[in-house]
Amino acid sequence: MKMKLLGTAILSSAMAFGAAGMAQADDFPTKPVTMVIGWGAGGSTDIQGRVLADILSEELGQPVNVVNQPGAGGGVALARLANSRDEGYTFVFGTSMTITFGPLSSETTYELDDFRYVAGVTLGQSAIVTGEDRPFGDSWEELVEYARENPGMSYATQTALDRMIIEYIAQQEGLELRIVPTSGGAGMAPLILSGDVDFAYSGGTHSGYAETGEMPVLLSLAEDRLVAFPDAPTLPEADYDINAAEIRVAMVPKNTPDAHVERLAEALEAATQDPRFIEITEERILMPVTYIAEDEVTQTLRDQVEGYQALIEELGGLPGEE
């Protein structure tokens, strides 16, 4: 009888502990959350992320603090996240190109399977841009023709992927370019607006200049023509066989509990329906708001990695490699 009572007591304690554990998971978050943005303050990802953080704070019932960790085209933030044991209390809000192309182009301490992709919230509108009153005008065809005749034109790069794209284009078109590394849109914009560089990659900063015309778009790097710049051709339309479309996504370490991922996903989905997030995304940085669930985002990223691998093999390696 004593053994039976003892067994019952142990079972009851285990059930109680299990229920408490479930309640704890269901109560996530019980303390402030950190959103890490792998780009400098002032760029389009930062501008959008800060509004998103405010909304998530309301949805989650805890402060969501924003920390900028720029470097390596968003790679520094992901390298730190890969080693995080915060179980979702720290997550990265960034662009898919950092995880799809970054590990293919350089040695990284992370790979695609090191993370869970909680949800996508925005389809990227990245582009190759220039400034006003340039001698080659504001069309891609004119720039290419001018660059052939004027070796050494400067291009501001931000990511491993856009660097590969421009080097591939330079190889295809026979161009000699001077590459200028920058950290985020906030670093690129002054160089373009001042004329210190001729053209540049932009993850979305150009959308802030759609009305003024100070930053004309030469090429769309999205899957389709850009919402705010419909006259700029896509890469395939310009005869470059590259799919560089990107998603802005929330990422957590792969060991994050399901309940925490689900709670974050619920809050992100609610944010995509919030007028403040829609306004900053669709009216200010001019990107379409689109909620994409974890399974779909993950499969999309896997497909894109395979596409980049095939392209690198077709080229016989990354442009610039010995």
Side-chain angles (χ1 to χ4, degrees):
M1 178 63 71
K2 288 183 179 180
M3 289 296 292
K4 182 176 180 181
L5 290 174
L6 180 61
T8 301
I10 293 173
L11 179 61
S12 298
S13 296
M15 292 177 64
F17 179 80
M22 290 177 63
Q24 186 175 7
D26 291 342
D27 288 343
F28 171 85
T30 59
K31 60 183 180 180
V33 176
T34 299
M35 172 194 287
V36 180
I37 296 176
W39 308 90
S44 65
T45 310
D46 178 70
I47 292 170
Q48 184 188 36
R50 290 180 183 275
V51 174
L52 180 61
D54 288 341
I55 298 169
L56 291 179
S57 295
E58 298 172 8
E59 293 292 331
L60 296 172
Q62 290 286 345
V64 176
N65 303 311
V66 176
V67 175
N68 295 91
Q69 291 183 344
V76 169
L78 283 183
R80 294 179 180 177
L81 184 70
N83 296 317
S84 171
R85 297 295 180 264
D86 267 357
E87 297 190 327
Y89 281 95
T90 299
F91 70 94
V92 164
F93 175 63
T95 64
S96 58
M97 71 176 69
T98 306
I99 189 64
T100 55
F101 190 76
L104 299 178
S105 63
S106 61
E107 290 187 10
T108 63
T109 57
Y110 62 85
E111 58 185 9
L112 187 72
D113 291 337
D114 287 334
F115 308 102
R116 292 184 65 174
Y117 304 92
V118 182
V121 295
T122 308
L123 295 178
Q125 297 279 279
S126 54
I128 293 178
V129 304
T130 188
E132 285 187 294
D133 302 323
R134 299 300 159 88
F136 46 80
D138 57 7
S139 78
W140 179 250
E141 294 81 2
E142 290 175 300
L143 180 142
V144 170
E145 182 178 348
Y146 186 87
R148 288 196 185 108
E149 298 173 356
N150 296 271
M153 285 183 65
S154 55
Y155 171 84
T157 179
Q158 296 180 38
T159 70
L161 178 56
D162 87 82
R163 175 68 180 268
M164 187 276 283
I165 290 171
I166 201 63
E167 290 191 353
Y168 167 74
I169 289 174
Q171 184 184 79
Q172 296 295 108
E173 301 287 3
L175 309 181
E176 180 182 329
L177 302 174
R178 178 169 62 88
I179 305 299
V180 180
T182 60
S183 179
M188 173 277 296
L191 297 177
I192 279 291
L193 296 177
S194 66
D196 288 338
V197 298
D198 295 306
F199 64 124
Y201 166 81
S202 172
T205 303
H206 54 282
S207 296
Y209 300 91
E211 293 185 3
T212 66
E214 295 174 274
M215 198 176 289
V217 169
L218 301 169
L219 275 180
S220 165
L221 303 187
E223 189 170 357
D224 301 310
R225 292 197 175 201
L226 304 186
V227 173
F229 301 89
D231 293 336
T234 64
L235 286 168
E237 287 174 339
D239 294 326
Y240 306 123
D241 188 19
I242 303 174
N243 176 12
E246 51 104 357
I247 303 169
R248 293 196 172 179
V249 60
M251 297 168 267
V252 295
K254 65 180 179 181
N255 61 355
T256 304
D258 289 343
H260 295 194
V261 173
E262 291 166 7
R263 184 71 187 92
L264 285 172
E266 290 172 359
L268 287 164
E269 185 170 17
T272 61
Q273 301 170 22
D274 189 289
R276 292 167 293 177
F277 185 72
I278 294 171
E279 190 276 334
I280 194 68
T281 303
E282 296 193 344
E283 296 182 26
R284 182 166 176 183
I285 63 175
L286 304 179
M287 296 183 177
V289 173
T290 305
Y291 179 80
I292 309 173
E294 180 183 8
D295 288 348
E296 184 177 351
V297 172
T298 303
Q299 187 58 53
T300 298
L301 300 188
R302 291 188 190 283
D303 291 344
Q304 200 159 39
V305 169
E306 291 179 4
Y308 290 146
Q309 288 172 327
L311 177 60
I312 293 170
E313 290 176 5
E314 180 181 337
L315 295 173
L318 289 170
E321 287 185 337
E322 295 294 334

